[in-house]
């Protein structure tokens, strides 16, 4: 088969066997991290998980991760929402961190079979790879552990854990995951000892981690 004329679509099921949650059980998976003594969590990670658990109960109980995210996104752009005692954008920032923690911990040791599958996908050189997943399983099997998700070859419809987005012009680009991890840790820690600042090359405004 001539794969360079084929388009591959990767949905949520592509990551489930590696340990990633679905939208329907994403919150459950994240909250269970607090009860699992075998998983090491930093203090700011625990605080974030507890915070999102509380805010979901207060704002949109029983919602799945997509419903809650969409609700906050709508609230940020609609002044008619009066149910918040803090800016919806601030809650979205913490929700992004919650998503990052949950996926990082769930996918720390993906099965070798899954890793081999992703390597084979990249080896076949599809003309396009379209994915709706936030995780970086595909990227980690690329050359030197990187793939440019902003390229035309790989289309990530909902962003990814290594995306940063401009607050002004909404331009997104990828960045090194280790640096983004440090950004999250400093951004949400009480001390703010070390902060990373990303500047948009198009409009010179600040950028921050984000998914879509």
């Amino acid at each position: 088969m001539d794969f360079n004329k084929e388009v591959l679509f990767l949905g949520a099921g592509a990551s489930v066997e590696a340990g990633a949650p679905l939208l329907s059980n994403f919150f459950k998976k994240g909250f269970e991290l607090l009860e699992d003594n075998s998983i090491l969590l930093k203090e700011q990670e625990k605080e974030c998980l507890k915070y999102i658990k509380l805010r979901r109960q207060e704002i949109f109980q029983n919602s799945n991760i997509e419903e809650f995210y969409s609700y906050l996104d709508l609230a940020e752009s609609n002044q008619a929402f009066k149910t918040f005692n803090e800016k919806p954008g601030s809650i979205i920032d913490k929700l992004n961190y919650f998503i990052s923690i949950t996926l990082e911990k769930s996918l720390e040791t993906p099965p070798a079979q899954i890793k081999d599958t992703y390597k084979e996908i990249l080896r076949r050189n599809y003309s396009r790879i379209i994915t709706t997943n936030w995780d970086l399983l595909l990227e980690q099997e690329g050359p030197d552990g990187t793939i440019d998700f902003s390229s035309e070859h790989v289309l990530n419809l909902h962003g990814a854990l290594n995306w940063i987005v401009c607050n002004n012009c909404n331009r997104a680009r990828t960045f090194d995951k280790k640096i983004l991890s440090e950004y999250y840790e400093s951004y949400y820690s009480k001390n703010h000892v070390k902060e990373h600042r990303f500047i948009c090359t198009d409009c010179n405004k600040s950028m921050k981690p984000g998914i879509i």
Side-chain angles (χ1 to χ4, degrees):
M1 182 180 292
D2 187 358
F3 289 106
N4 60 20
K5 293 183 180 179
E6 300 289 328
V7 174
L8 179 68
F9 184 90
L10 295 174
S15 299
V16 169
E17 290 195 23
L22 292 167
L23 294 177
S24 59
N25 69 337
F26 205 105
F27 278 127
K28 182 176 183 292
K29 190 96 170 183
F31 300 150
E32 285 177 347
L33 295 175
L34 289 167
E35 313 301 328
D36 191 340
N37 294 327
S38 67
I39 296 177
L40 297 177
L41 292 172
K42 297 177 181 178
E43 194 59 39
Q44 60 264 33
E45 292 175 332
K46 293 178 183 178
E47 289 179 7
C48 178
L49 294 174
K50 292 176 182 178
Y51 170 87
I52 291 299
K53 185 175 184 178
L54 176 63
R55 298 304 274 149
R56 176 175 175 249
Q57 290 173 341
E58 293 174 342
I59 297 171
F60 198 169
Q61 193 171 12
N62 298 324
S63 59
N64 65 36
I65 190 80
E66 185 177 39
E67 292 168 339
F68 191 57
Y69 204 110
S70 298
Y71 185 86
L72 293 172
D73 196 41
L74 181 61
E76 188 177 28
S77 59
N78 190 335
Q79 297 300 318
F81 282 77
K82 303 293 184 182
T83 58
F84 298 90
N85 56 17
E86 66 179 293
K87 292 182 179 180
S90 175
I91 305 174
I92 290 174
D93 285 342
K94 296 180 179 68
L95 185 59
N96 284 338
Y97 189 32
F98 172 88
I99 291 170
S100 175
I101 296 167
T102 303
L103 288 177
E104 291 279 350
K105 299 301 181 183
S106 300
L107 299 171
E108 275 187 329
T109 54
Q113 183 179 358
I114 300 296
K115 293 168 70 67
D116 290 342
T117 298
Y118 279 108
K119 286 178 182 177
E120 178 64 15
I121 287 173
L122 294 174
R123 187 190 68 78
R124 289 182 176 183
N125 195 30
Y126 288 96
S127 63
R128 294 288 187 276
I129 298 175
I130 301 173
T131 174
T132 60
N133 296 327
W134 295 320
D135 64 70
L136 301 177
L137 287 175
L138 180 65
E139 179 189 61
Q140 289 166 357
E141 301 310 320
D144 301 320
T146 61
I147 290 178
D148 184 4
F149 278 107
S150 62
S151 71
E152 293 183 0
H153 176 61
V154 180
L155 304 178
N156 197 309
L157 300 183
H158 296 304
L161 294 183
N162 65 339
W163 273 39
I164 52 175
V165 181
C166 178
N167 296 325
N168 181 59
C169 69
N170 292 322
R171 179 176 176 80
R173 66 185 179 92
T174 59
F175 213 84
D176 183 82
K177 188 180 70 170
K178 292 181 180 178
I179 293 180
L180 281 177
S181 296
E182 291 179 15
Y183 176 97
Y184 277 126
E185 291 173 10
S186 65
Y187 185 79
Y188 295 105
S189 67
K190 292 181 178 179
N191 296 327
H192 295 277
V193 175
K194 182 180 180 181
E195 294 192 13
H196 288 280
R197 182 171 172 80
F198 303 104
I199 302 297
C200 179
T201 54
D202 286 348
C203 67
N204 205 37
K205 299 295 183 179
S206 62
M207 306 180 78
K208 63 182 179 181
I211 57 177
I212 301 171

